[in-house]
Amino acid sequence: MVKPPRIAECLTHIECRIADTIETGDHTIFIGKVVAKSGDLDAIKDGTLNENVEPLFHLGGSKFLTGRERIDVNKLGKVK
């Protein structure tokens, strides 16, 4: 809605408006309400990332992690 800068390699972009903030010690948690989305909207189906999409996770600083292995905990056996 406000046309923020976007990263070309990102599959989807979600723009949020701050709905609430929660002060927790030395941190503030921001609760957002989605107001716009764009990009390859087929990358997300039924609320989850499609199997053909390799996610990128920011670990902090200059470190990132990618991966394809998906684990559905509902399909795992009981942990003993």
Side-chain angles (χ1 to χ4, degrees):
M1 296 182 83
V2 296
K3 309 268 190 254
R6 301 174 193 268
I7 299 170
E9 294 81 7
C10 286
L11 293 173
T12 59
H13 299 88
I14 301 170
E15 186 177 338
C16 298
R17 175 170 285 123
I18 296 175
D20 199 3
T21 59
I22 301 170
E23 300 293 330
T24 59
D26 62 347
H27 290 75
T28 302
I29 299 172
F30 294 92
I31 311 297
K33 177 180 171 122
V34 175
V35 294
K37 58 188 175 183
S38 63
D40 182 1
L41 301 179
D42 291 330
I44 298 173
K45 184 176 181 181
D46 299 326
T48 62
L49 222 48
N50 279 346
E51 292 294 321
N52 62 337
V53 174
E54 184 172 341
L56 173 67
F57 301 98
H58 182 224
L59 301 175
S62 62
K63 296 181 180 172
F64 292 82
L65 174 69
T66 63
R68 285 200 175 274
E69 184 178 0
R70 310 290 170 104
I71 299 170
D72 184 344
V73 296
N74 292 321
K75 294 180 180 176
L76 295 176
K78 276 193 168 180
V79 178
K80 296 179 182 181

